[in-house]
Each structure stands twice: as structure tokens, then as C-alpha cells.
Amino acid sequence: MIPDKVPQEDVYHAPQDLVKGAHVPNFEKYKELYLKSIQSPEEFWGDIAKDFFWKTKHTGKFLDYNFDVTKGNIYIQCMEGATTNICYNALDWNIHQRNLGDKVAFYWEGNEPGDELKVTYRELLHQVCKFANVLKSVGVRKGDRVSIYMPMVVELVVAMLACARIGAVHSIVFAGFSAESLFERIMDSQCSLLITADGFYRGDKLISLKLIADDALQRCRDKGVPVEKCIMLKHLSKEQPDSPAASPSPPAKRPCPDLQQETPKDKVRKIRPKAQVPWNPEVDLCWHTLVDGASEECEPEWCASEDPLFILYTSGSTGKPKGVLHTVSGYMLYAATTFKLVFDYQPDDVYWCTADIGWITGHSYITYGPLTNGATSVLFEGLPTYPDMSRMWEIVDKYQVTKFYTAPTAIRLLMKYGSAPVQKFRRDSLKVLGTVGEPINPEAWQWYYSVVGEKKCPVVDTFWQTETGGHVLTPLPAATPMKPGSATFPFFGVVPAILNESGEELEGPSEGYLVFKQPWPGIMRTVYGNHQRFEATYFQKFPGYYVTGDGCRRDQDGYFWITGRIDDMLNVSGHLLSTAEVESALVEHPAVSEAAVVGRPHPVKGESLYCFVTLIDGVAYSTTLETELKQQVREKIGAIATPDYMQNAPGLPKTRSGKIMRRVLRKIARNERDLGDVSTLADSSVIDQLFNNRCPTAV
Ligand code: WT7
């Protein structure tokens, strides 16, 4: 299944100095380990498990499972009989076993330049133990669910690890979600406690988090299911009195301090001005008051392997989010191992993942993966574009970041502004670059590789999902020759296949449904409270396989290329087309910074292509350009892919995590005004703009 040989030409290789000390230094080694991971999982993962602390060892099979709905319930069970604690492994074990107490766990970089903190492993352990004791003091017990709705601050990591330490199940809700979304998630997971903060700044926009949280809590009360307690962190102002004023006055506006003139302490105060928040003494508790009196010692709760670790909601095709449930031991091994091997983690690395902890990327590759490896990470609260387009590279330079992980959407956004903002800062500390979240078009890959990495850093295009817990298709930086836009080959323990519509496995070069034939330790275990939905969503369509919902192509060299969600596949005159493919062709034009393509029903062809294009700053939209773009797609893919309709899209409808909402674009292409739920849109003003700019021939 893994090809014997990979091409040596027209591919990109890691530089020799990276290969030298790498964990997996060449393709031969990758193949050898891959075979072992499939043929002797017990031995493969057993070796890895030796680096972790187990209170008791496992007694049953390493992985026991049923993947076939026709044979009974779907289940996945890893390391039966073992007991451990992931927080203990992430902190205590590093401090005691590896002597990393004084090592920096996080460099926290706030939204405003100059607002910064660092926290060592020992300090983090103390904070976590204190907060774990706080959780116990407010009645949280093993198995209880705790909602966390916080900005990107160290205390968010503290809260999640404190839950893990006492065996409580965290359900983190991204701080960009609305009150309605938070309410829906709290209700679904039946949380007894909400942890939040007063507010935070995203760029120069103030988000009054506590007001939104209060709104969500009121909705729970209205439903007759009140949440007992709400712990609030004062992030905007730590100097505030314990019980803030009862009147809900809006938090102060951010002044524009002259940062140069001030002492660091003043800086921080002005950067995060005081906020007045509403306070309900029956429910609200102050984080700081509770923590002040708490002990720095807290014995971890020893959890069984399959005890739940966390719930994380991900959108479902029905509109109701699914509570993806991950469990302790398998997730721990998988997050740790993928982190170590995919970023080729080395002890002196400074690693930075720009994702938010509110998404799975942050769970696995800001908190659990890096910490279980004893890594030093940057934790960034702000935006790549604030205060200017150089912010990311300024941070890379400041902390001498060696491994950098971001999303294609961020790359394309920055690409729009050219190479000057990147080149303003040195990036010679960088060794490995990563991407995640969507297919990366070769154009953006090339820019990332050449401009950001100066052709010295391998780019790991990591394919995975909230459901998979960690990377499942990915290059290993020193071992896998890279092809721009391909997620390359499976990670250890992962067995992919490509199926056609009838569920037959395709061999050799082919295109179809991407599925997995057996579980790996990090795969989700159920949809919280709805196992039937878990089976129906992922296992019903093709019995015996986990269905990703993504389309995939395997080329003549055996490389896997994700073509986008199956629901983004278009059928034009009987030909299957991936929207990503057309988008990539459009984006290759020098005038285009981003493109989104959707299907529009067509009486003859079945579907026609409707394209939204965002142009580089300063370029005007014209019919000449349209003709050029259509020609370009014809040339890149073929006449079959010629766009039927095209329109100027200065902005695209995106979720706060940067995903384009194609559902909305499909409606615009059809000129249907009933858009359904658009509450997850980051900026709803783009909608009117897009309707006004509709392609005049698409009546
Ligand atoms: C979907 C999962 C995994 C963390 C972020 C998203 C798409 C993800 C890639 C990639 C092509 C990718 C897939 C997948 N996706 N990574 N490297 N290449 N597509 O997590 O919200 O659960 O989304 O993101 O479509 O199914 P998620």
C-alpha cells in the first residue's frame, strides 16, 4: 500500500541538516515503521507507551474494535485495564522524570505587542493544581462536564488540564461563537459549570465574553436547565474588585497608549483596560479569589483508558453540532506521537501553532501534544494582521520559532500583501512549516515554502479531522518527499482506502471516497449522548469503513490528494470535479488572491460552475480579466471545467475559523435569499455585497 519507491524528481526534499537528527530520517525508515504499526500494533504502540506514566498497565489487546455496523455496535477500545492521567503525563512526569520543571511551557503573546508572559512547567503545574482544587471545591467530580469559553490565555490551558487532572470532561467552545451556539453546546453536554473571562481584544475589536456567556446562561435558565456556577477570569483587568458592579456597563474602550514611554507593568494595564461586567452573586465566582486560597497540590484522578477526556463540537450536515468524544489513553498516545514525528520535535524547539484552542488543532497541537513531549510553545492571543501584516513574522523572530503550524487560509490572506511584510523579519530559526484545515493550493504552498521558509523548510500538509484526534495523512518532514498540495501518506497505524460509489476499493491511481479500514488510537469513540448518530454519520454508508466525508485522489506515485469534502464535489456533464481543483486553477492567476467555486443547477449539464473570486489589493475587476480566468481554468483542467459564471467577491462568507461557508455561496449563486442559519459567519456584511455583485447572466 505504501509504494516501494517514491519519486526523487519533481518533489521537494528536506535539507540535510534536518535529516541528520530526525526521528524518521528517510522513506525506508518510514515504511519499516509503518509496516510494524500495522502488523504488530501491540509492539509498535507498546514501545511508545514506555515513555509515559501508567498507574496500572493494560491487560487486554492494544486495540479492540468493531468497524462493521452489520456485525453489531461500533466500538473502539484501546489499552483495556490501563490507568493513567494525561495531565500528570503532561506536567508532573516531565518535571520529575525529565527534569523539565524550569523549562518554559508557554511564551504567551497577547493581542497587543508588548503584552507578554512566560510560564514554566513547574509554574503551570502549580496553577493547574490550584485550579483543580477550585473545581473540586465547587462540586465538580470525575465524569462531570465543564464548559470552557475563554480567549487564548494561559488560564485556558490551566482550566482544561485541571479538568483532565480530576477526570472531569472539558467541552471547550471557541470564544468566537455566539450565545446561541454556546447555549446549544452547554445544553447538549449537560454541563454543571461554565468557565469564562470578562473579555478580550481581537485586533482592535473588544469581545465582551462575559456578556455573551450570561446571555447563554439565561437561555439555559429559560429552558429550565440552569448551570449552577460560572467562574470568571479577569483578563481585561486583574486590578478589578472581587465583585464587579452589578450594572452591566460596557467595558472601557482600548486607549492607544504610547507603548515606548511606559514601564512593562503600566503597559499591560493600559493594553487591557478595566472592564465592568455584570455580576450575579448567586452564580458567578471570581477565578482569582478562588485560586488565591487553593492548595498547590492535587493528587490526580487515575482514569481508565476509555474514560472520557473531552467533548468538542463540530458541525454536522444536519445543522446540529456533534459532540465528538475523545478518551484518555488512545488520544494521549496519538496526540503525543503525531506531534513528535510530524513536526520532528527536538528538545530545543520553540514551536508555534496559530490555531485557537477552541478547535481540535489547539487541543491536540497546542495543549496535549506539545506538553506531553515537554515542548516549549508560543501561545498567541492575537491576529496575523494586527497591528500590521508582519505580526506573525515578528513573533517568529522574537521567540526564534523553529516549528510553525498554520492554516492555508492564513497563508493566502498574507500572500495577498506580498513578500515585503514577511521579509521585514528574519525567519532563519524556522525548520519545519505545517498546514492544516483545508486543501492547500499549490500556489499558496509554493509561497509558504519559498517566501516564508526560503526553500529551507519542509512543508507538512497535515490532513485530519476533529474526529481523528490527530494527523492521519501527512508527510514526515525528513522522510517524505513532498508534492505541493498533497497530504502524501498515512501516519502510523492508519490504513486508508479509496472507494467508489458502490463501496468497492479502488487500486492504483484513482479518485473517490476517502475511508479508513481500522481504528488508530486517537479516533473518536462516539458522538456524546448519541451513539446512533456516530454510527450513522461515519459507518453506515460503507459498512466496515470509517467514512471521512472527503474526496481523495491517489496519483501514479501512490500519493494521496484530498480533493475537498464530498459535498463540495460537482458533477458537470457526468464528470466529477472538485471545487478545490477549480479554485486552485483560479488562484494561480496573478490577479487572484482567493477563489470559491460552487455548483449551480444546470438544465443540460446537471451542474454548472459558479465562481467567486477575490482579487489582489489594487487590481480592478473587468470582463477582460473574467475571460482570462476562464481561459486559465480551461487550460489547467480542461474545457469541462470552464467556469459558467463568475463574480467579483471582495470578501467571502467565512466562519470565524476561516472556513468558507459554501452553503451560503450556493444560495447566492442561485439568487436565493433564504440563507438559513448564518450565526457562525465572521462578518455578515459580505452577504449583501455578494448579492449586489452577482453575475448578471445567472438569472
Ligand atoms: C476537515 C476537518 C483537523 C483540524 C482542522 C479542521 C479538511 C483538514 C486538511 C488538509 C485538505 C483538510 C477536510 C476535513 N481538512 N486538513 N491538510 N487538506 N483538507 O478540523 O473542522 O474537523 O475539519 O477539514 O475536509 O474533513 P475539522
Side-chain angles (χ1 to χ4, degrees):
M1 208 253 306
I2 305 298
D4 280 341
K5 281 206 166 22
V6 276
Q8 295 303 306
E9 278 162 35
D10 298 326
V11 289
Y12 294 78
H13 295 276
Q16 271 314 305
D17 53 343
L18 187 91
V19 172
K20 249 183 264 157
H23 297 298
V24 185
N26 53 54
F27 199 74
E28 291 307 307
K29 186 73 190 170
Y30 159 70
K31 257 191 337 205
E32 179 194 320
L33 286 169
Y34 180 79
L35 274 182
K36 182 172 168 190
S37 77
I38 303 305
Q39 289 165 356
S40 334
E42 186 75 34
E43 205 185 315
F44 179 88
W45 294 106
D47 284 348
I48 287 170
K50 285 183 193 143
D51 286 342
F52 293 78
F53 176 80
W54 306 94
K55 188 74 180 172
T56 57
K57 300 249 185 294
H58 76 282
T59 45
K61 269 182 43 189
F62 180 77
L63 263 174
D64 186 15
Y65 67 96
N66 172 39
F67 247 34
D68 189 341
V69 272
T70 64
K71 297 196 177 136
N73 290 346
I74 301 292
Y75 71 90
I76 301 113
Q77 197 171 49
C78 187
M79 303 183 82
E80 200 191 344
T83 49
T84 187
N85 183 289
I86 193 169
C87 172
Y88 185 88
N89 273 282
L91 301 176
D92 313 57
W93 191 239
N94 279 319
I95 295 167
H96 303 133
Q97 190 71 13
R98 301 175 178 152
N99 204 17
L100 298 182
D102 295 323
K103 188 174 180 181
V104 172
F106 290 107
Y107 289 110
W108 179 79
E109 172 83 12
N111 178 63
E112 286 302 318
D115 196 5
E116 63 191 42
L117 277 174
K118 71 175 176 210
V119 51
T120 64
Y121 272 83
R122 187 173 294 106
E123 288 162 350
L124 191 58
L125 174 63
H126 288 161
Q127 287 191 43
V128 167
C129 285
K130 275 171 165 267
F131 198 68
N133 286 322
V134 165
L135 290 176
K136 288 202 227 171
S137 76
V138 300
V140 178
R141 297 284 171 266
K142 182 169 186 234
D144 289 353
R145 277 82 51 214
V146 174
S147 270
I148 304 180
Y149 185 59
M150 290 176 88
M152 284 283 284
V153 292
V154 172
E155 289 86 348
L156 168 53
V157 179
V158 170
M160 68 199 290
L161 290 176
C163 287
R165 193 168 189 88
I166 64 168
V169 181
H170 57 71
S171 165
I172 303 182
V173 179
F174 172 56
F177 272 122
S178 63
E180 174 66 25
S181 306
L182 175 60
F183 152 72
E184 198 180 4
R185 287 158 175 76
I186 293 175
M187 291 292 287
D188 188 77
S189 53
Q190 305 145 302
C191 290
S192 56
L193 171 72
L194 173 66
I195 306 170
T196 189
D198 45 3
F200 64 103
Y201 279 94
R202 238 177 111 68
D204 44 26
K205 192 168 160 215
L206 173 68
I207 315 290
S208 303
L209 212 55
K210 176 65 161 53
L211 287 176
I212 309 171
D214 282 349
D215 183 347
L217 293 180
Q218 187 55 47
R219 289 168 201 240
C220 296
R221 250 172 254 129
D222 293 347
K223 282 272 176 209
V225 194
V227 172
E228 286 157 40
K229 294 288 172 208
C230 172
I231 299 179
M232 189 195 82
L233 173 84
K234 287 183 272 183
H235 173 52
L236 288 177
S237 166
K238 297 208 169 175
E239 286 86 353
Q240 210 173 313
D242 277 354
S243 298
S247 66
S249 56
K253 256 203 97 56
R254 184 179 67 89
C256 294
D258 181 354
L259 296 178
Q260 308 305 317
Q261 312 272 310
E262 302 184 271
T263 64
K265 189 162 177 285
D266 287 332
K267 260 198 225 171
V268 175
R269 197 163 50 237
K270 283 217 175 161
I271 289 166
R272 294 186 256 142
K274 275 191 176 168
Q276 292 279 303
V277 291
W279 199 257
N280 176 353
E282 311 239 303
V283 178
D284 293 339
L285 296 165
C286 170
W287 172 296
H288 311 272
T289 312
L290 293 170
V291 159
D292 273 351
S295 156
E296 274 182 11
E297 270 164 44
C298 176
E299 174 69 10
E301 183 76 36
W302 300 109
C303 299
S305 286
E306 290 302 331
D307 279 347
L309 173 62
F310 66 81
I311 300 167
L312 182 58
Y313 286 86
T314 186
S315 48
S317 50
T318 59
K320 188 176 149 47
K322 303 182 286 256
V324 170
L325 186 99
H326 285 285
T327 54
V328 174
S329 297
Y331 175 83
M332 174 169 82
L333 286 184
Y334 203 70
T337 309
T338 46
F339 173 78
K340 177 175 170 183
L341 302 182
V342 172
F343 299 108
D344 190 43
Y345 169 68
Q346 303 291 341
D348 56 352
D349 273 336
V350 178
Y351 162 86
W352 181 22
C353 166
T354 68
D356 194 287
I357 292 179
W359 309 114
I360 189 70
T361 308
H363 282 60
S364 299
Y365 301 115
I366 294 180
T367 301
Y368 292 116
L371 292 179
T372 47
N373 278 278
T376 295
S377 301
V378 174
L379 179 62
F380 178 45
E381 183 190 26
L383 293 174
T385 51
Y386 181 86
D388 59 43
M389 299 301 152
S390 287
R391 185 71 191 276
M392 303 245 260
W393 321 119
E394 187 176 354
I395 295 173
V396 165
D397 194 30
K398 175 174 174 184
Y399 298 104
Q400 291 291 293
V401 171
T402 54
K403 311 281 163 82
F404 179 72
Y405 193 29
T406 195
T409 181
I411 297 167
R412 287 196 299 265
L413 172 74
L414 295 173
M415 220 173 124
K416 232 171 109 161
Y417 296 89
S419 49
V422 185
Q423 284 157 353
K424 233 175 106 183
F425 292 93
R426 291 174 67 110
R427 281 147 283 101
D428 47 7
S429 55
L430 289 174
K431 291 187 178 145
V432 175
L433 301 174
T435 75
V436 59
E438 51 182 315
I440 181 163
N441 47 303
E443 176 92 327
W445 194 100
Q446 287 291 357
W447 187 83
Y448 196 31
Y449 180 72
S450 317
V451 178
V452 176
E454 296 182 348
K455 303 190 175 170
K456 287 184 297 222
C457 308
V459 175
V460 288
D461 176 354
T462 61
F463 167 83
W464 59 298
Q465 308 175 301
T466 305
E467 294 88 337
T468 69
H471 309 137
V472 282
L473 296 181
T474 176
L476 299 183
T480 317
M482 292 158 292
K483 295 191 183 190
S486 168
T488 73
F489 300 108
F491 190 76
F492 303 125
V494 174
V495 185
I498 298 179
L499 304 186
N500 65 13
E501 191 57 53
S502 335
E504 291 152 354
E505 281 190 33
L506 303 174
E507 304 293 331
S510 44
E511 182 162 351
Y513 293 89
L514 174 67
V515 299
F516 295 111
K517 297 169 72 161
Q518 60 181 55
W520 55 94
I523 191 176
M524 71 184 287
R525 301 303 198 255
T526 190
V527 169
Y528 182 76
N530 197 345
H531 195 68
Q532 196 262 327
R533 189 172 177 200
F534 172 59
E535 299 185 334
T537 309
Y538 305 101
F539 295 94
Q540 208 89 65
K541 190 173 170 70
F542 300 120
Y545 301 96
Y546 166 87
V547 180
T548 60
D550 284 287
C552 185
R553 182 167 69 82
R554 186 168 39 218
D555 71 14
Q556 69 286 356
D557 298 319
Y559 281 65
F560 288 88
W561 300 72
I562 303 298
T563 53
R565 298 294 299 185
I566 295 289
D567 37 22
D568 294 335
M569 289 285 249
L570 300 176
N571 195 320
V572 180
S573 305
H575 298 273
L576 220 49
L577 273 179
S578 111
T579 53
E581 216 178 346
V582 183
E583 287 161 8
S584 172
L586 288 166
V587 171
E588 279 180 32
H589 192 284
V592 178
S593 75
E594 189 154 26
V597 178
V598 296
R600 194 182 124 97
H602 188 279
V604 181
K605 304 195 227 177
E607 275 186 298
S608 56
L609 294 180
Y610 193 112
C611 309
F612 297 83
V613 293
T614 309
L615 303 181
I616 301 277
D617 264 10
V619 175
Y621 194 83
S622 67
T623 47
T624 327
L625 177 63
E626 249 186 25
T627 316
E628 262 180 57
L629 289 174
K630 289 183 182 177
Q631 189 54 32
Q632 167 137 336
V633 178
R634 279 177 79 98
E635 276 169 17
K636 290 296 312 177
I637 306 171
I640 177 70
T642 311
D644 300 270
Y645 309 102
M646 198 171 285
Q647 80 163 74
N648 186 15
L652 288 167
K654 291 189 181 171
T655 62
R656 294 178 185 85
S657 65
K659 272 221 167 68
I660 296 171
M661 289 177 75
R662 285 162 201 286
R663 182 172 62 75
V664 170
L665 290 178
R666 278 193 283 270
K667 295 274 189 179
I668 295 168
R670 289 163 205 208
N671 206 8
E672 291 169 1
R673 296 271 165 172
D674 176 18
L675 298 182
D677 177 20
V678 289
S679 62
T680 52
L681 265 186
D683 175 10
S684 53
S685 70
V686 299
I687 300 288
D688 281 341
Q689 199 183 38
L690 287 170
F691 270 113
N692 292 338
N693 275 341
R694 279 188 78 258
C695 176
T697 55
V699 281

